[in-house]
Amino acid sequence: MVEDSLDHTKAMDPLKGDYKPGSIKLEGALERIKRLIDGVEVEARSIKRGVIKVDPKLKDLVLKNLKEMGFDHFVLLTCIDLIDEDRFELVYHTWSYGTKGLIMVKTTIDREDPSIGSVVPIFRPAITYEREIKEMFGVDFPGNPRLTQFILEDWEGPPPMRKDFNALQYSVERFGTDIRYPKSLPPHLLNDGGDDNE
Amino acid sequence: MTDDEQKGGLLDQNGYPITNLPERGFVRKVADWASSRSMWLLWYCTGCGAVELPPCFTSRYDMERYGIGPMATPRQADILLITGYLSVKTLKRVVRSYEQMNDPKYVFGHGSCTIDGGMYWDSYATIKDVGLYVPVDIYIAGCMPRPEAIFHAFEKLQVMIGKGEAVGWRNYKENYQFFRGNQDKVFKRGPNWALEEPVLK
Ligand code: SF4
């Protein structure tokens, strides 16, 4: 374990800990988060990469604390469609220039009517990522000031990055792929349930 | 344009609209010959094929040898080279640029993406067949075609204009309902489009 003092009283408030932002090691940061917040799972995958699994309600608290500990670069936000579990997983990647480490905060939400609070008050760059995920996965982010239409102009179909979206079928219906070469599309392809890279 | 209206509605064997070749007088023939040797190519690129245009413009292949020069605005351009896949969003801009160009105007479909979608054949975001939305005079097959192929197409276009066969722009007016219907299936024209009148005139 790193030499950061993991004294419980200090760890309760990271700002009062005897470290400067960036001086804390990745494992130390994970350990602090674990002690500060009940019900998080932490895992250090390497000296540069950690994972925190957390309930959606607590993700703001975790991200705030990470930011204060020097993980202040919001790298990106991704969404994964866990269609078998009927959940969406959201992954917030944060990077610390001092530690040179990446911590991923993972949380899952229900696939029916998905919605999760925006992290824009903590990390402003999340505005665009949340817009994109809203369009591509249909996840709502209450609190985001700019959830307007993003890339897909005049889009009327379902969110296209969901795994139950059949891109081929949609493109045949909308763009008439088979008009000129009706024989080029074997029928079994039309019944395919999406990408093979699931 | 009564004679135009009478000619509309012709289809080729694949169901694409075509137009009859117009009768040309002597002056028209001379004018066509002259204009085929002085054309401006709209500097507008979509998709990956755009990377073939700088060698065409510049000294390596030098398209000014053919009297073709790059042009920055659609209103002064004669040729629209569609250099690859078109997302719905880009198609909207292409149609808008095309409608702003003055007659006569010619469209090249460059690359397999413009013919049947190419490697984006099952993409939800890109159209598959440009010929459904704007009339294409010449397709250049390949993924991506080399500048030599583009020059081959330029030469062919000059011959076609000389013979009065490059009539895509007439086709667009005569069969506007066909193209417009397909366009309306994939995108909406915003309130600022405001180009409908000049197209139909
Ligand atoms: S035909 Fe090939 S090179 Fe051209 S836009 Fe399509 S994928 Fe790209």
Side-chain angles (χ1 to χ4, degrees):
Chain A
M1 188 47 65
V2 279
E3 64 288 345
D4 268 338
S5 82
L6 285 172
D7 178 358
H8 195 70
T9 50
K10 281 181 185 165
M12 283 307 282
D13 184 355
L15 280 183
K16 296 213 179 87
D18 54 352
Y19 64 90
K20 295 188 229 42
S23 69
I24 188 165
K25 296 273 188 333
L26 187 123
E27 279 190 2
L30 290 177
E31 195 61 35
R32 272 175 201 273
I33 292 285
K34 196 175 174 183
R35 297 204 174 188
L36 274 172
I37 301 158
D38 279 344
V40 299
E41 273 176 53
V42 304
E43 182 193 344
R45 296 223 170 135
S46 74
I47 52 165
K48 294 207 170 200
R49 185 168 289 238
V51 179
I52 300 176
K53 289 193 179 155
V54 67
D55 190 78
K57 285 191 217 91
L58 293 175
K59 66 148 192 347
D60 281 0
L61 191 60
V62 171
L63 287 170
K64 239 180 242 165
N65 279 295
L66 282 175
K67 190 177 177 184
E68 284 164 3
M69 281 190 264
F71 289 81
D72 51 3
H73 177 189
F74 184 76
V75 183
L76 61 103
L77 166 62
T78 50
C79 181
I80 301 155
D81 186 0
L82 305 174
I83 190 163
D84 298 334
E85 298 162 32
D86 226 11
R87 310 280 288 170
F88 282 121
E89 185 177 56
L90 289 140
V91 188
Y92 301 82
H93 298 241
T94 57
W95 171 264
S96 157
Y97 283 98
T99 315
K100 298 205 171 25
L102 181 90
I103 290 189
M104 292 177 269
V105 179
K106 297 187 175 185
T107 178
T108 65
I109 54 173
D110 218 0
R111 209 162 169 282
E112 291 304 315
D113 209 1
S115 167
I116 185 166
S118 168
V119 294
V120 170
I122 309 168
F123 291 113
R124 201 170 153 72
I127 289 186
T128 308
Y129 292 111
E130 291 179 351
R131 264 176 99 191
E132 186 194 3
I133 290 174
K134 161 93 180 165
E135 192 156 282
M136 293 297 180
F137 291 90
V139 177
D140 195 18
F141 292 91
N144 185 315
R146 201 174 164 216
L147 273 189
T148 49
Q149 183 249 14
F150 185 41
I151 303 175
L152 300 172
E153 238 176 61
D154 304 329
W155 179 261
E156 281 160 6
M161 287 289 154
R162 291 193 179 191
K163 281 191 179 153
D164 50 8
F165 174 79
N166 188 332
L168 179 58
Q169 195 171 13
Y170 179 85
S171 87
V172 169
E173 280 163 14
R174 187 136 186 256
F175 308 120
T177 321
D178 55 347
I179 284 186
R180 189 179 286 191
Y181 304 107
K183 301 214 169 58
S184 71
L185 289 179
H188 70 271
L189 278 179
L190 288 175
N191 302 326
D192 187 12
D195 285 344
D196 336 332
N197 56 357
E198 297 178 2
Chain B
M1 285 276 172
T2 48
D3 57 334
D4 276 358
E5 279 163 17
Q6 282 160 12
K7 285 183 210 148
L10 288 176
L11 299 177
D12 67 8
Q13 75 267 30
N14 294 319
Y16 287 76
I18 46 174
T19 179
N20 281 325
L21 300 185
E23 292 285 323
R24 293 183 306 157
F26 175 73
V27 177
R28 187 70 247 163
K29 282 183 186 167
V30 174
D32 276 351
W33 175 85
S35 66
S36 75
R37 270 141 186 86
S38 157
M39 286 187 290
W40 296 101
L41 175 76
L42 180 60
W43 191 303
Y44 179 79
C45 307
T46 75
C48 8
V51 81
E52 296 295 345
L53 287 191
C56 293
F57 289 153
T58 50
S59 56
R60 177 69 178 86
Y61 290 95
D62 191 12
M63 69 189 183
E64 272 191 49
R65 292 177 296 151
Y66 293 81
I68 300 172
M71 174 49 72
T73 65
R75 286 177 202 269
Q76 277 102 23
D78 303 299
I79 304 176
L80 175 58
L81 185 64
I82 299 177
T83 55
Y85 59 87
L86 289 176
S87 66
V88 173
K89 203 169 172 176
T90 324
L91 175 73
K92 203 165 166 177
R93 275 75 185 166
V94 163
V95 171
R96 200 157 175 204
S97 305
Y98 179 73
E99 292 188 352
Q100 288 182 50
M101 289 164 66
N102 284 330
D103 297 337
K105 50 193 174 185
Y106 312 102
V107 180
F108 285 180
H110 171 275
S112 29
C113 283
T114 59
I115 299 169
D116 63 351
M119 61 189 264
Y120 301 96
W121 60 286
D122 66 345
S123 155
Y124 59 85
T126 63
I127 58 147
K128 312 302 163 198
D129 185 352
V130 181
L132 293 173
Y133 310 97
V134 288
V136 180
D137 291 290
I138 296 179
Y139 282 109
I140 311 170
C143 178
M144 59 187 53
R146 295 276 302 141
E148 290 91 336
I150 300 176
F151 282 94
H152 187 67
F154 282 154
E155 282 175 3
K156 189 166 175 211
L157 181 69
Q158 287 180 336
V159 172
M160 281 170 73
I161 296 174
K163 289 187 191 159
E165 288 171 0
V167 289
W169 54 279
R170 293 175 69 92
N171 194 356
Y172 191 68
K173 288 193 200 172
E174 288 170 17
N175 298 296
Y176 184 66
Q177 297 312 326
F178 173 87
F179 295 109
R180 178 64 195 273
N182 286 328
Q183 289 165 12
D184 284 346
K185 272 185 212 154
V186 294
F187 65 79
K188 296 190 198 76
R189 295 181 175 221
N192 297 325
W193 191 284
L195 284 164
E196 208 156 321
E197 295 301 315
V199 171
L200 286 175
K201 232 190 303 161

